[in-house]
């Protein structure tokens, strides 16, 4: 697999009309992050977003904290009035 910079340079060398490689890379990355945000909103799946952006898996440093169910208490408004 090639890095993005190498891929853009190879396209330029093959004759594709890419004027500025830095600007082209910025456009590609911007589009990728916008689409990744849409993917995150649609699925809520961080692993899918990481895979889409070609980012490595991350090991969690801390285990997830379980959420406790709400206690059955009267709302504060009833206690005040």
């Amino acid at each position: 697999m090639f890095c993005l910079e190498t891929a853009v340079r190879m396209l330029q060398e093959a004759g594709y009309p890419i004027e500025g490689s830095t600007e082209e890379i910025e456009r590609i990355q911007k589009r990728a992050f916008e689409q990744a945000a849409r993917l995150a909103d649609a699925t809520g799946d961080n692993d899918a977003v990481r895979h889409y952006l070609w980012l490595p898996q991350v090991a969690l440093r801390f285990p997830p904290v379980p959420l406790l169910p709400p206690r059955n208490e009267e709302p504060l408004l009833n206690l005040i009035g």
Side-chain angles (χ1 to χ4, degrees):
M1 178 171 68
F2 297 105
C3 71
L4 185 55
E5 291 81 3
T6 302
V8 170
R9 190 182 74 241
M10 290 172 69
L11 290 170
Q12 284 177 313
E13 291 171 0
Y16 283 86
I18 299 172
E19 293 178 16
S21 59
T22 303
E23 293 82 11
E24 186 69 18
I25 290 168
E26 288 173 2
R27 281 191 295 272
I28 291 168
Q29 288 175 331
K30 180 180 179 202
R31 185 174 304 143
F33 280 106
E34 288 172 357
Q35 292 170 347
R38 285 191 212 142
L39 178 62
D41 290 342
T43 65
D45 186 350
N46 289 336
D47 289 331
V49 174
R50 250 188 243 100
H51 178 75
Y52 178 79
L53 293 173
W54 296 75
L55 296 173
Q57 272 303 71
V58 227
L60 293 176
R61 294 182 184 173
F62 305 101
V65 177
L67 297 177
L68 299 175
R71 298 185 331 196
N72 291 330
E73 293 182 4
E74 292 185 38
L76 290 176
L77 294 176
N78 289 344
L79 296 174
I80 295 172

